[in-house]
Amino acid sequence: MSTENLPQSPEQPPRKPRVAVVFGGRSSEHGISVVTAGAVLRAIDRTKYDVLPIGITQDGRWALTADEPDRMAIVDRQQPSVDRLAESTEGGVILSVDPANREVVYSEPGSVPKALGDVDVVFPVLHGPYGEDGTLQGLLELSGVPYVGAGVLASAVGQDKEYMKRVFTSFGLPVGPYLVIRPREWTRDEQGARERIAGFAGEHGWPLFIKPARAGSSIGITKVDSFEGLDEAIAEAQRHDPKIIVEALLRGREIECGVLEFEDGPRASVPAEIPPVQAHAYYDFEAKYIDSTPGLVPAPLTPEQTAEVQRLAVEAFEAASCEGLVRADFFLTEDGEFVINEINTMPGFTPISMYPKMWEASGVSYPELVDRLVQAALSRSTGLR
């Protein structure tokens, strides 16, 4: 029987890839993550992707949130939060850990769970512990859901300043002097830990920087000029992380460089310079996000210096087994040498963040940058690779 005269059912248009933008989280960088998410949500191409915003509250609840980037900004020096964006104070989003099922479910007490559809890729814009440190990446690996950015190992290495520096040193990358005080050492022998810091200061001089070992966004950092402020600085760092890192002052210019993974491998952006911010002794949280002055893009470097910092940035990306993107932060010391301070495996995408600015100056617009990261994640499998 011929079917050519039978009515044909119209072809269904192909489903757009669904991107879950996950943000917020339990770390001290919760608010900055929300700001970053707002910028990503504003930039992502809605004609190309379906977007599902999922916020994680500071107590760890996964919440369905409003898709309203304008509400995800710092206003009157106040940071936004997932709690203020969540559509419910009790409902929770559940991501299946069955690799054969990528469906996201929304559940509220006393109600029938509601299926929100499959997720094809996650864009995790969390900063700090419980998100940028490999924990969320491990969950997504178990779930079989592709995601933007570094994998479990690289995320963990990029979050822990101690092991980041150990990895860089093993690959021959230049790092500055540092000392680590672990929580058990501080608990068992505070005086001995202080004596180690005193010895470090005797060798490298004051001031010292006391930092949480596994935090970012310049949160919890104190510049200490003598023993007088040491205990207060340690207490401030330990509010964010029981493990602290002590770093010597490196005199020089602060230079940043972005790395982005292309089809033929990672490439470095033009570098940027972070100028000193008036009224701030160093580039702390307030200087970075509240009172920030524009960075210099591109950085005023010689062609040889630019090539060198770009080479080191790509080498740091490779040394830590990164994927997708990295922002590498350096000091250009007074003797003309670059020293790597740290990498960020999920750098800020806020309107004032240097990573997108460096790539824009390199010919990659913000929307193109977001699209390239999503496409790279969609082309990668989860699991061992």
Side-chain angles (χ1 to χ4, degrees):
M1 176 180 175
S2 172
T3 61
E4 59 183 64
N5 293 322
L6 293 177
Q8 303 295 312
S9 57
E11 286 190 16
Q12 294 295 318
R15 184 176 71 84
K16 292 186 288 188
R18 198 149 198 237
V19 182
V21 179
V22 180
F23 60 96
R26 294 163 55 190
S27 81
S28 304
E29 299 172 75
H30 177 98
I32 296 304
S33 173
V34 177
V35 177
T36 293
V40 170
L41 289 170
R42 193 176 287 111
I44 198 165
D45 186 350
R46 304 305 179 101
T47 67
K48 192 171 182 178
Y49 305 105
D50 284 329
V51 180
L52 177 66
I54 299 175
I56 301 177
T57 64
Q58 288 179 304
D59 60 5
R61 179 172 63 91
W62 289 46
L64 196 60
T65 68
D67 186 2
E68 299 177 15
D70 289 344
R71 293 174 59 197
M72 302 178 180
I74 296 174
V75 179
D76 296 330
R77 307 178 77 90
Q78 296 298 310
Q79 297 179 50
S81 73
V82 169
D83 283 304
R84 290 197 288 271
L85 294 163
E87 295 189 353
S88 165
T89 58
E90 295 183 314
V93 174
I94 302 167
L95 178 67
S96 171
V97 292
D98 178 0
N101 176 17
R102 294 182 179 176
E103 189 171 68
V104 173
V105 174
Y106 178 72
S107 177
E108 285 195 79
S111 300
V112 176
K114 174 185 176 184
L116 300 178
D118 289 356
V119 165
D120 297 293
V121 63
V122 169
F123 200 136
V125 292
L126 293 104
H127 303 308
Y130 313 110
E132 192 183 354
D133 59 350
T135 50
L136 177 61
Q137 289 74 15
L139 172 64
L140 296 173
E141 292 285 355
L142 290 173
S143 303
V145 179
Y147 53 93
V148 169
V152 175
L153 174 65
S155 297
V157 168
Q159 188 63 46
D160 191 311
K161 293 178 175 61
E162 175 192 1
Y163 287 97
M164 182 197 308
K165 292 176 188 292
R166 289 181 181 272
V167 167
F168 291 159
T169 300
S170 72
F171 277 81
L173 292 165
V175 303
Y178 69 96
L179 172 72
V180 175
I181 304 294
R182 293 183 173 81
R184 273 184 290 184
E185 179 182 2
W186 183 256
T187 301
R188 292 174 180 173
D189 187 5
E190 283 189 22
Q191 187 55 36
R194 289 191 187 92
E195 289 172 2
R196 285 187 65 210
I197 297 174
F200 183 80
E203 182 178 358
H204 300 288
W206 300 93
L208 301 177
F209 289 90
I210 313 299
K211 302 181 177 182
R214 295 162 291 193
S217 297
S218 300
I219 289 174
I221 299 176
T222 306
K223 181 182 178 184
V224 178
D225 294 308
S226 67
F227 285 112
E228 186 175 335
L230 186 60
D231 282 1
E232 185 178 347
I234 290 171
E236 171 60 18
Q238 289 178 332
R239 283 201 316 113
H240 305 278
D241 187 348
K243 182 168 82 165
I244 66 170
I245 189 165
V246 181
E247 294 179 350
L249 172 68
L250 292 174
R251 300 186 186 279
R253 298 159 61 188
E254 292 193 45
I255 306 294
E256 297 183 349
C257 191
V259 180
L260 180 63
E261 195 166 13
F262 288 76
E263 291 78 9
D264 60 350
R267 301 181 200 170
S269 70
V270 299
E273 180 169 2
I274 307 301
V277 180
Q278 297 298 323
H280 292 270
Y282 61 97
Y283 199 42
D284 62 3
F285 178 87
E286 292 280 320
K288 183 177 290 188
Y289 293 105
I290 306 297
D291 302 322
S292 179
T293 56
L296 305 176
V297 187
L301 301 171
T302 66
E304 293 77 17
Q305 288 172 326
T306 294
E308 175 66 3
V309 76
Q310 288 175 325
R311 179 186 70 82
L312 291 170
V314 171
E315 285 193 11
F317 181 97
E318 298 281 34
S321 296
C322 294
E323 295 170 289
L325 73 164
V326 146
R327 194 193 73 230
D329 300 346
F330 297 85
F331 290 104
L332 177 55
T333 63
E334 293 176 339
D335 60 4
E337 299 297 321
F338 283 104
V339 175
I340 187 164
N341 183 37
E342 64 181 23
I343 59 171
N344 281 266
T345 56
M346 185 51 68
F349 277 75
T350 71
I352 61 169
S353 295
M354 296 309 300
Y355 184 83
K357 285 186 175 183
M358 289 187 287
W359 278 109
E360 185 175 14
S362 304
V364 181
S365 69
Y366 196 128
E368 183 185 350
L369 178 61
V370 171
D371 183 66
R372 181 169 287 278
L373 289 169
V374 172
Q375 287 296 318
L378 284 168
S379 69
R380 263 197 324 262
S381 64
T382 53
L384 298 177
R385 53 187 183 273

